[in-house]
Amino acid sequence: MPEPLGAGSFDELAARLNTLRGRHGVSYRELHRRVVRARRTAGNPDLPVFNTVYRCLQPGRRRMDADLVADIVRALTADEAVVARWRQVCQVIAGLTADSSWVTVAGELPADSTEFVGRHAELAAITGDGERCSPVVVIDGMAGVGKTSLAVRAAHRLVHRDGVAVRLWADLRGYDADRAPADPLAVLDEFLRRLGVPGGEIHRLGPAGRLTTYRQLLADRRPVVVLDNAADADQVRPLLPDSPGGVVLITSRRRLTGLAGARIVHLEAFQGTESLDMLRRLVGAAEIAEDTEAATRIAELVGHLPLALTVVAGRIRNRRDWTLRDHAARLAERRGSLRVEDELENAIGLSYADLPAEAALLLRLLAIHPGRDVDTRAAAALAGVDLRAAEALLGELVAGSLVQRRVRDRFGLHDVVRLYAAGLARDVDAASARRAALGRLFDYYRHAASRAMDRYAPHERDRRPEVSTSDVPPPGFGDVAAATEWLDAERHNLVGITALAEEQGRHEDAATMSPILNRYLYNALHFADAEIVHGIAIRAADPLIQASARMSLGAVYLRSNRYQESIDQFKQALTRYDAGGDRASWARALNNLGNAFDRLSDFAAAEDCYRQALLVHRATGNRTSESRALGNLGNSAMRVGDWDKAATYLDEALAIMLEVGDRVGECLTYGNLGTVHEQQGHFAEALDHFRRALVTAREFGYPFPETEALLHIGVLLARLGEHDDALAHLTEALDLARRNSLGEFEIKALNGIGVALGDLGDAAGSIARHREALAVAEKLGDRYEQARAHKGIEQGAAVTGDSGVADDHGRKAQDLLTEIGLR
């Protein structure tokens, strides 16, 4: 029988699990029945649908429910020891997967170092001075030899010389002692975001589709891509463009083989003259001239390694009362007494030994921080000091060249320094002290995130938990832009500290980050991060926290056009809210379930959900949720052409949204009221409402209602005969819909363009657009828009005289409308 031990990914685990099922001779349907039967017997309300069990045994999973894996194994074998092994391996893979998904990516290059010297031949080899440069360059060499500095210098030279517009950088974390190497697919996701692909569209693409899209976007754009700290060739291969003109610079401690056409640039330690040049740059030419012999000895003692020279130079600057010979003697003494052969560790250790106790402690704690960089407030939380003290300690570490000051007053460690300091933290600091520091950091991040979200989404404050304040005050978030900027900068740290808190046993505290970050992760389309954070909350003991996380996941799946998974999550949330007596949240989940039914054109089921939700929201006094239910009922009335009823619902919804400050709801409702006025023949009022929706959406910076407003304006202008202006609005709406993965608006824009082209007499163009709309609508299961597309093809074919095609699509349109109750 297959064993789970040794599986390194969800795909591998799923394959072994499916083999186990096959060996026991159990069909998928029978396996589903056994799992459901066992859960009912155990009183577990979580009853998975057939597709959930089936998908658990198929490849392509980004996450797997450890409880479901255990129940599947239990349905195949009664041996609880075997069940435990499968559960444990699933949890281990989940941890590794989440860890590898935290990636540091930027759409800009790191700042070029002013301390860079030498490497003239290597720079010429990389940049192709005098000849064509290679499209892929691998810079390899030992730790501290200056690979990253060389790559960054070369990248800046290429950008300046060639006028490069596309610049991408990623830390692949190939040699981090505490964190898994970065998942190349996660890096690819972030690169696609930097290239303008929305999160929803990325999520909808498979791995092959993402790679194809990435390469298409980079074609003919001459990008410069820096992949720092690569573990092996397999990690970088999915990140390589396949068109000429661009350059990819890879750094690694290993010789990477198997990258076709790559130029290898191997770095050795500096030559003596380069070491002296670097010391002159860092310490001062006059000081080195006073005793060149001692400076040469210092360079020899640190192995002529650039990083070691940088660290030692910081020590020299901070000890002006010592001569160069004193520094050389101290280096020699320490290496002799500790029998340290590693010159780099010797240099770092000597500078570390010079630190005051408080600064040394902060360095060790920074090394165990789950992210790549921190600001002063996070450093203060880690060290348990105030902001002024943290600024002073960071200043000492920067002066000693042990910490790097990065953009926007953020601070980070070279990976070698991090490795050294993390080892010291494990040796020097008690486990309880490390946990306490990380606990302070979590409390700060949670408090700051909560305050940021109060500014970002004030109308949903009641949906977020009250959290304790931290000793370090959060930034003052003056407006939505400031809150969003902080959330963007700290996103990876927030996800990382949440996972770390769960790992350290703070399960319920970690789970609170799910409702805190939910609206930001949803609006910004950071679906991979949302799945990690909400997945942690699903594992919490509190069933109401589980319910909230499942409702959030359902919303993510709904936006990703994963309708059946969305319905499954909403139903599980409803079960838990019902059992816990939380009627207000139950109603919100029901309202969301109605949205899923609406996407599947089950309008009767959707309206039933909205009506039940409205009754509860009114009873509990939840005005924001009441307005959303009213708006959805207005949408339902619009679907069946009851325009007077729709206007009544929508007017009431808009009044509440204006009252509570729900700007997104306001945009959507202005648009829907515009549609109602249009159908009632009040075209001037309709255009006014559509334009209000567009202005409000652009003020708020939210693409969803902006796209819908453009769509509405375009459709109405086409109806009024202003076809050129209509096509301009509809084309802009289509572009926004595709860039932001708004599938339902993409279909409507395509159908609208088809209608406008038909009115202009372009029957062929009209048919082509309606066929595009039909393909997307069939993929998403939107039967109403399928019917519209068929109708448009019918009308276009009638104009061209193709009566057979016209009759066929006309029948299909009628059948679909009858099927969904609109005929």
Side-chain angles (χ1 to χ4, degrees), residues 582-600:
D582 186 344
R583 298 297 292 167
S585 297
W586 178 88
R588 283 199 298 115
L590 190 65
N591 194 52
N592 284 337
L593 180 61
N595 291 336
F597 285 138
D598 181 80
R599 294 283 184 87
L600 293 174

Side-chain angles (χ1 to χ4, degrees), residues 115-149:
E115 301 167 354
F116 187 89
V117 298
R119 305 299 193 193
H120 302 296
E122 291 87 350
L123 274 171
I126 295 170
T127 59
D129 290 349
E131 61 177 277
R132 181 180 176 83
C133 58
S134 175
V136 178
V137 179
V138 179
I139 305 170
D140 64 43
M142 67 180 293
V145 80
K147 301 182 295 295
T148 299
S149 296

Side-chain angles (χ1 to χ4, degrees), residues 137-143 145 147-148 172 174-175 227-233 235-236 249-256 265-267:
V137 179
V138 179
I139 305 170
D140 64 43
M142 67 180 293
V145 80
K147 301 182 295 295
T148 299
L172 299 185
Y175 301 94
L227 305 176
D228 201 15
N229 292 316
D232 52 40
Q235 190 183 27
V236 302
L249 305 178
I250 304 164
T251 73
S252 180
R253 295 185 194 175
R254 296 179 184 170
R255 289 285 178 94
L256 302 188
V265 176
H266 179 67
L267 286 192

Side-chain angles (χ1 to χ4, degrees), residues 674-690:
T675 298
V676 170
H677 286 300
E678 179 184 358
Q679 293 299 322
Q680 292 174 327
H682 307 146
F683 299 136
E685 291 90 339
L687 270 177
D688 178 62
H689 277 83
F690 291 148

Side-chain angles (χ1 to χ4, degrees), residues 701-749:
Y702 190 26
F704 186 94
E706 179 184 1
T707 308
E708 187 171 45
L710 285 165
L711 181 62
H712 285 315
I713 294 170
V715 170
L716 180 52
L717 289 173
R719 184 174 182 180
L720 296 174
E722 300 179 29
H723 300 299
D724 291 337
D725 203 8
L727 282 172
H729 281 82
L730 290 168
T731 301
E732 188 176 357
L734 178 61
D735 180 59
L736 273 174
R738 285 175 167 168
R739 283 195 284 117
N740 292 284
S741 193
L742 303 174
E744 70 272 33
F745 291 156
E746 179 183 358
I747 304 167
K748 292 176 182 177

Side-chain angles (χ1 to χ4, degrees), residues 112 124 163 165 291 330 474 488 571 640:
D112 194 9
D291 196 339
R330 183 70 185 95
D488 288 341
K571 286 182 175 179
V640 296

